[in-house]
Amino acid sequence: MDSSSPQDDSPEQRAWTPRHNGHVSKVTASPTTSFAESKRSPSAIALRAFLLGVTLGASLTLTVVLLQPPLNPLWRAPCFLAALSTFHLLEFYITARYNPTAATLSAFLLTGNGYAYNVAHSLALLECTLRNYVAPRYYTDWL
């Protein structure tokens, strides 16, 4: 019988042992780190997914609002954030769906790409915002 729950209540069987493709691994927490603080923490993963979802929803709403006449060139910034949020959500979803053993906090690719990745995106948003206030006439009407 292939079950992921313990069959008897002996001390040796009290640790829950998930079975995946015939391999058994024990889930234990060290005295210094609890499961909630680990890189597989469901609460930490859920929090990041929730925040990305909120960012996606707010960015899409703001993009639609800014695209209403008169057209505001700042629609590009929330549209960029919506695309970025969608990418990171889908990156984690694909990892969790097709490689569940690698579905950790780093699968969101929010900070795992290095410092330069985050700086580049921050500077792109800053450039879009500053350009709108410093030189708004250089934005093209068609894009």
Side-chain angles (χ1 to χ4, degrees):
M1 180 164 106
D2 189 27
S3 173
S4 63
S5 62
Q7 295 303 316
D8 73 35
D9 202 21
S10 67
E12 296 81 30
Q13 291 292 324
R14 287 184 196 207
W16 180 67
T17 56
R19 298 168 198 257
H20 182 66
N21 295 336
H23 296 92
V24 177
S25 63
K26 290 199 176 210
V27 177
T28 58
S30 71
T32 58
T33 302
S34 69
F35 184 68
E37 296 170 352
S38 72
K39 64 182 181 174
R40 290 185 172 278
S41 167
S43 60
I45 290 171
L47 178 63
R48 281 163 182 79
F50 172 75
L51 292 175
L52 281 171
V54 167
T55 302
L56 175 61
S59 297
L60 285 176
T61 302
L62 190 56
T63 300
V64 169
V65 167
L66 292 174
L67 281 172
Q68 301 302 315
L71 183 66
N72 187 334
L74 271 182
W75 68 267
R76 292 170 179 90
C79 185
F80 174 71
L81 280 177
L84 203 58
S85 297
T86 301
F87 166 75
H88 287 291
L89 279 169
L90 289 176
E91 180 70 29
F92 182 79
Y93 171 76
I94 295 298
T95 302
R97 175 73 172 95
Y98 296 104
N99 190 5
T101 57
T104 62
L105 289 176
S106 62
F108 280 107
L109 294 181
L110 292 172
T111 56
N113 290 324
Y115 180 72
Y117 179 78
N118 295 326
V119 169
H121 289 311
S122 299
L123 289 176
L125 287 172
L126 181 64
E127 176 194 12
C128 181
T129 306
L130 286 177
R131 187 173 176 183
N132 182 61
Y133 291 111
V134 174
R137 63 186 175 157
Y138 292 111
Y139 273 114
T140 60
D141 291 334
W142 57 272
L143 183 64

